[in-house]
Amino acid sequence: MNATSDTVLVVGAGPVGLTAAAQLARFGVSVRVIEALEQPTTESRAVGVHARSLEMLASLGVLERLEALGRRIPALDVVDGRTGRSRNRLDLGDMASRHPYVLDVAQPDTEAVLAERAAELGVVVERGVALTALSQDDDGVDVTLRGADGESTIRVGWVLGADGGHSTTRRLVGTELDGGFHGQHFAMADADVETSYAPDAIRMFTHPDGMGMLFPLAGARARIMFLVDAPPEGRTAPTLAEMQAMAHVRMGGAVKMGTPRWLTYFEVHHAQVPQYRFGRVFLAGDAAHIHSPAGAQGMNTGIQDAANLAWKLALVAQGRADAALLDTYNDERHPVGAMVVRTTTTLTDVGTASGPQAALRNIAMYLVGHVHAINNAVGSTMAELTINYRDSALSVHHGRAAVKAGEHAPDPAGTAVAVEDLLTTPGFLLVVSGAEHEAALREVLGDLGTVVTADAALVRAYGWPIDGMALIRPDGYLGLVADSAHPDVLRDYLATALRIAMRSSS
């Protein structure tokens, strides 16, 4: 048996697994990635990347590459499918992010960019390799892998199951998804289209026969979906003619499809595992939670799962922090997953409403589109900008600073500097106001991160009365916020909240 007890095995080379692998490698962790598929998928699958994920991808160094393959979408538009008139438009431009848009990009392109970045960091995806068994003890995990040369057993330190809705990792740790497994059915096509609609919005078409969706991708390519009755037994995909017939009726004859890249039926499910950590094994993405594609939350939530776990696992795998730190992955991300399941269920029910419920939906959507505060709140929620960890044990707040521990670190207004740029350097980011203790703070933080002296704009943004500091986690969230910059405050936070073994201060 090969002994690689400090290695993290990532099961699954989709966007979630590749994000985790690249982040772990950035932090200096040995990573091995396996993927049962011998070739990358060609199915477009998840296509919408939201602002919070775009910020993280910018810090990872892949955003420019990804944007070159996708299309920025600055709005969502609800259209009357019979008349073609817009009922209301949800503009995303006022969101508190450098990325006030959805990036529509096919999942194979997202995976290719992330795989390229992982390879730059020394991570190679082993394709055609499947996890078949695992057992763990206090010191590591024994995993059995099956590939072209047969089965072998190795020992690793940790396992991350990012192997999708039919996760083998989930089954092997003895848990299962809990929720609803019978719901609305959709027909979907990925095809080039000719349409009179500008590619400036994701459009939802309301119609008595059922809703439709149009997601513009790069060039003439688009994702088209329709609510349908349960397909006949044995039918896995609609024909192009069937999709075109629905488009003619439900999209006012304004969308003509060309040769499709992908046709499929799918049924909406809403479920989540009871917990995300099982000793030395973790679940993320669809392995941990499945839900409707409404709002394009699935891949984004999984990417944020990976961002949350990676830095914590890096500290523990390298012997820098106690393994109890890893409990906060479940504590912080499981409630987010539960919220996403609830929200997407509601969005699906709203989008598929008929009769009197449809009339109420239309009134609500009018308010969303015409009341700025509601518009911005809905857009920010969909973009995952409202997610916070204020109730986490890792969020510690001292004094009267305007920002709160557990919130995402805000960018300073009026400057070109952004937190996502500063986080391109792996590790924590300590922002300090007042220079009295700066040298001592650098010594306390050591190689865990970077210290940045706050300018006037940053002081205003964080609201420190005189001096203070904010420790920004590698995933962009505020861990410690204090109106004192004394090094003992930082030392206590690192040792007590993060459970990091600190050098003696003597």
Side-chain angles (χ1 to χ4, degrees):
M1 180 187 298
N2 294 325
T4 52
S5 58
D6 60 341
T7 295
V8 176
L9 177 69
V10 176
V11 185
V16 178
L18 290 170
T19 296
Q23 291 284 25
L24 285 164
R26 284 180 76 221
F27 301 138
V29 176
S30 171
V31 185
R32 185 172 180 180
V33 181
I34 62 169
E35 169 57 59
L37 292 177
E38 293 186 355
Q39 298 294 330
T41 181
T42 59
E43 299 170 351
S44 56
R45 299 189 183 182
V47 298
V49 188
H50 286 302
R52 181 62 79 230
S53 296
L54 293 171
E55 292 168 0
M56 191 281 300
L57 292 167
S59 297
L60 187 57
V62 299
L63 184 56
E64 288 187 7
R65 283 178 261 185
L66 201 58
E67 293 218 344
L69 301 172
R71 182 187 292 278
R72 292 186 180 188
I73 306 295
L76 309 177
D77 205 0
V78 181
V79 179
D80 186 325
R82 291 166 295 188
T83 66
R85 292 196 298 268
S86 174
R87 290 184 179 274
N88 62 282
R89 186 179 178 93
L90 177 64
D91 290 309
L92 306 177
D94 289 336
M95 294 191 307
S97 172
R98 292 180 81 187
H99 311 287
Y101 51 87
V102 181
L103 181 66
D104 272 0
V105 57
Q107 183 170 322
D109 291 333
T110 302
E111 291 182 5
V113 168
L114 287 169
E116 181 181 54
R117 181 64 177 129
E120 292 168 357
L121 294 163
V123 179
V124 177
V125 177
E126 302 173 45
R127 292 198 165 273
V129 179
L131 174 69
T132 60
L134 68 78
S135 62
Q136 61 177 306
D137 54 37
D138 291 343
D139 300 317
V141 189
D142 297 323
V143 294
T144 301
L145 309 179
R146 184 178 63 240
D149 298 328
E151 287 194 339
S152 62
T153 300
I154 63 169
R155 187 168 180 82
V156 296
W158 311 87
V159 175
L160 172 58
D163 45 347
H166 300 287
S167 170
T168 298
T169 313
R170 184 177 64 223
R171 175 178 58 81
L172 291 175
V173 295
T175 193
E176 59 185 16
L177 294 163
D178 180 25
F181 294 92
H182 301 285
Q184 295 95 344
H185 294 263
F186 288 84
M188 185 167 69
D190 172 6
D192 288 345
V193 301
E194 294 179 13
T195 178
S196 57
Y197 290 108
D200 62 350
I202 296 170
R203 288 181 169 80
M204 183 179 85
F205 295 81
T206 61
H207 193 277
D209 291 351
M211 69 176 289
M213 296 289 296
L214 179 64
F215 297 80
L217 297 169
R221 189 176 179 183
R223 158 79 59 82
I224 305 101
M225 296 193 310
F226 296 107
L227 176 69
V228 296
D229 294 330
E233 187 73 26
R235 284 282 304 275
T236 61
T239 65
L240 180 63
E242 289 169 332
M243 291 294 293
Q244 186 61 65
M246 286 186 282
H248 181 76
V249 173
R250 302 190 202 183
M251 295 178 170
V255 176
K256 182 180 179 180
M257 295 179 223
T259 303
R261 293 173 173 82
W262 186 34
L263 293 163
T264 189
Y265 287 119
F266 67 91
E267 184 179 6
V268 169
H269 305 300
H270 307 270
Q272 185 183 26
V273 294
Q275 63 192 64
Y276 287 5
R277 181 187 181 189
F278 298 83
R280 288 175 168 265
V281 182
F282 306 88
L283 300 175
D286 288 354
H289 44 77
I290 57 172
H291 35 79
S292 163
Q297 300 294 289
M299 178 177 66
N300 290 275
T301 302
I303 285 174
Q304 293 305 310
D305 290 342
N308 184 286
L309 176 61
W311 67 269
K312 300 171 182 177
L313 187 51
L315 286 172
V316 175
Q318 293 169 331
R320 304 292 301 273
D322 188 272
L325 174 63
L326 298 171
D327 288 336
T328 65
Y329 168 60
N330 180 82
D331 295 344
E332 292 182 346
R333 293 304 298 174
H334 194 279
V336 172
M339 180 271 293
V340 170
V341 170
R342 291 192 302 270
T343 301
T344 55
T345 300
T346 300
L347 286 172
T348 302
D349 291 343
V350 167
T352 57
S354 59
Q357 290 181 323
L360 292 173
R361 173 201 63 203
N362 294 339
I363 293 172
M365 287 185 171
Y366 179 86
L367 293 174
V368 169
H370 291 79
V371 178
H372 180 268
I374 299 177
N375 181 310
N376 195 43
V378 171
S380 296
T381 298
M382 184 185 70
E384 302 197 344
L385 296 175
T386 58
I387 290 171
N388 67 78
Y389 307 129
R390 286 193 290 262
D391 296 330
S392 170
L394 302 187
S395 302
V396 177
H397 192 96
H398 295 291
R400 295 172 291 161
V403 296
K404 301 300 180 185
E407 296 176 347
H408 198 268
D411 291 332
T415 72
V417 177
V419 170
E420 67 187 47
D421 296 330
L422 297 172
L423 287 174
T424 55
T425 300
F428 292 90
L429 179 65
L430 182 65
V431 180
V432 182
S433 170
E436 179 183 355
H437 299 295
E438 186 174 324
L441 289 169
R442 291 182 189 277
E443 183 178 352
V444 172
L445 189 62
D447 62 357
L448 290 170
T450 306
V451 178
V452 175
T453 302
D455 60 10
L458 201 55
V459 171
R460 288 193 300 271
Y462 282 69
W464 287 304
I466 301 175
D467 64 359
M469 61 181 161
L471 186 68
I472 301 173
R473 303 169 7 166
D475 58 356
Y477 287 85
L478 292 161
L480 169 68
V481 177
D483 60 0
S484 166
H486 196 283
D488 285 348
V489 177
L490 176 62
R491 183 180 290 107
D492 181 69
Y493 174 79
L494 294 174
T496 305
L498 295 183
R499 299 174 178 266
I500 292 174
M502 301 300 296
R503 297 188 303 268
S504 172
S505 59
S506 60

